[in-house]
Amino acid sequence: MNKKRCHTLLPLVQLLPTVATAAAVLFALSRTVPVLAAVPEKLKTVVEQPVEAASSEAEEETLPKLPYADGVYVGSSRGYGGAVRVQVTMENGSITEVEILDASHETKQFLRRAKRLLTTVVETQSWEVDAVSEATYTSRGILGAVQNALTGEVVNNPLPPQPKPAAPLVVEEFTAPSIYLDGIYTAEAMGFEGQITVQVTVAEDKITDITILSAEDEEEYLSRAKQVIPAILEGQSPNVDTVSGATYSSTGILNAVKLALAKAAVAPAEETAPEQTASEETAEETAPSEAAKLGETPVTAPTVEVVQPEEESAVPVWLKEVWQQLFPADAPASSEPASSEEVLPTSEPALPPEETGIESETEGAAE
């Protein structure tokens, strides 16, 4: 019997620690439930307080009170290609808006990137921020303009590196022809960075249209240079002034138009035909003088050489003396002298007939 009781009480003894543990847990749980219920609220309070403090501190950092009166201010500063002008609006000591008024000298793609700074300046309430990568000079122009607008200080940003033209500046000479041949003509000339190709249309001896087919220059400068096209059409001549600020590009357009119009000009052979005719007539007029130099006698202007005889009056005086010796003064005037062969003494030689004939021909010719 004793053994049976021992075996029966043994399981109960083994369960006593477990029962005691469960009773202790139930006793403690009744007291801990209210405490656990309050834990979430305490944790929420602890978490929310630092967040609210951090947000208030961030608000104070991002929205400082600037020492500038409310109003709208305008300032400018040097960018990449020229001055950049901005407008800054102040309200309650804060920058509320930044707007670009003029940035026409900046390259469009770089300006598009630099415009991100407008939001950055408002968020940081300062112009002392980093420039946008790959748009450094345009960014400096915007930030310097904001500083100039609010403080009035002149901001001298560093000059960007100046690009060099691809070739020296050359101006083509052009003389308008007497007439143009109708048609469409194409030519190219060097601009700032490369070739500019134009197409010129001529109709009824007038320049009716000019189109730029291709160009290697930047669009900013090319758009300014295109101002020469209306001037050419209005004056019907490419001899017009270049555009300031786009000298190379506008010169390239003008040179290309000049070369195209040179193709439309009347052929040089047709224009010089009258000059060739005049030169042929001049050659015909000078032909006789050249023939005269070769020893040929001109037919239209013959000349007679007059030879003055030596001692022209000696022979008549001699004959007179001989006549007076043979025939005294009292001889009848009507008597005629005989032939020279009869009256001359034999001691006096008679004049040769050839010499007498020469003298008579010479005197007749001289008269």
Side-chain angles (χ1 to χ4, degrees):
M1 291 296 292
N2 294 333
K3 292 183 179 179
K4 291 182 178 179
R5 289 179 178 175
C6 290
H7 286 292
T8 305
L9 294 174
L10 183 62
L12 295 175
V13 173
Q14 293 177 346
L15 291 175
L16 288 176
T18 304
V19 173
T21 303
V25 170
L26 292 175
F27 178 79
L29 184 61
S30 61
R31 294 186 177 184
T32 57
V33 168
V35 176
L36 293 176
V39 168
E41 295 180 358
K42 293 182 179 181
L43 291 175
K44 183 177 180 181
T45 304
V46 173
V47 172
E48 286 180 353
Q49 287 179 351
V51 172
E52 291 178 357
S55 61
S56 60
E57 292 177 1
E59 185 177 358
E60 291 178 358
E61 291 179 358
T62 56
L63 298 175
K65 299 299 181 180
L66 299 178
Y68 307 115
D70 293 351
V72 178
Y73 302 90
V74 176
S76 64
S77 181
R78 181 171 55 209
Y80 181 84
V84 177
R85 295 178 65 247
V86 301
Q87 176 178 288
V88 182
T89 303
M90 290 290 301
E91 293 181 2
N92 299 324
S94 300
I95 301 174
T96 58
E97 184 181 10
V98 179
E99 181 182 357
I100 295 178
L101 299 180
D102 181 24
S104 57
H105 301 290
E106 304 304 300
T107 305
K108 292 182 179 179
Q109 57 181 350
F110 298 114
L111 180 62
R112 191 181 306 112
R113 298 173 185 172
K115 282 183 176 179
R116 305 171 190 169
L117 293 173
L118 303 180
T119 303
T120 305
V121 170
V122 174
E123 291 177 351
T124 61
Q125 292 292 297
S126 173
W127 58 81
E128 295 179 349
V129 296
D130 294 334
V132 176
S133 178
E134 298 182 0
T136 305
Y137 291 95
T138 305
S139 299
R140 290 174 178 172
I142 294 174
L143 297 175
V146 173
Q147 181 181 355
N148 174 251
L150 294 177
T151 65
E153 299 177 0
V154 178
V155 180
N156 293 319
N157 293 324
L159 286 172
Q162 299 299 320
K164 296 182 179 180
L169 184 65
V170 177
V171 178
E172 295 287 344
E173 296 293 334
F174 178 78
T175 302
S178 59
I179 189 173
Y180 289 115
L181 298 176
D182 292 355
I184 299 176
Y185 304 91
T186 303
E188 63 180 13
M190 181 62 67
F192 186 85
E193 296 183 359
Q195 296 290 336
I196 298 177
T197 305
V198 303
Q199 176 180 284
V200 180
T201 303
V202 178
E204 298 181 358
D205 193 31
K206 291 185 177 181
I207 307 170
T208 58
D209 183 64
I210 299 174
T211 304
I212 297 179
L213 300 180
S214 63
E216 299 179 16
D217 290 3
E218 292 186 10
E219 180 61 29
E220 176 187 358
Y221 298 101
L222 189 63
S223 60
R224 299 182 199 171
K226 289 179 181 179
Q227 299 175 15
V228 300
I229 295 179
I232 295 173
L233 295 176
E234 181 179 358
Q236 288 294 300
S237 173
N239 292 328
V240 298
D241 295 334
T242 57
V243 178
S244 178
T247 304
Y248 279 82
S249 298
S250 56
T251 301
I253 296 175
L254 293 175
N255 286 341
V257 172
K258 291 175 182 178
L259 295 175
L261 291 176
K263 299 178 181 179
V266 174
E270 298 180 10
E271 294 182 353
T272 56
E275 297 179 359
Q276 294 178 353
T277 304
S279 62
E280 293 176 358
E281 293 177 355
T282 305
E284 293 177 358
E285 292 178 357
T286 57
S289 61
E290 294 176 357
K293 292 180 181 179
L294 297 175
E296 298 180 1
T297 304
V299 177
T300 57
T303 57
V304 178
E305 184 179 0
V306 179
V307 179
Q308 296 293 338
E310 297 180 0
E311 299 180 359
E312 180 179 356
S313 60
V315 175
V317 172
W318 178 77
L319 287 175
K320 183 177 179 181
E321 292 178 352
V322 172
W323 181 267
Q324 289 178 353
Q325 291 176 1
L326 294 178
F327 302 98
D330 56 348
S334 60
S335 60
E336 296 179 0
S339 64
S340 60
E341 294 180 356
E342 295 179 354
V343 298
L344 291 178
T346 56
S347 61
E348 298 290 339
L351 292 175
E354 292 82 1
E355 187 177 350
T356 307
I358 293 174
E359 290 176 359
S360 60
E361 290 177 3
T362 303
E363 291 177 0
E367 291 176 359

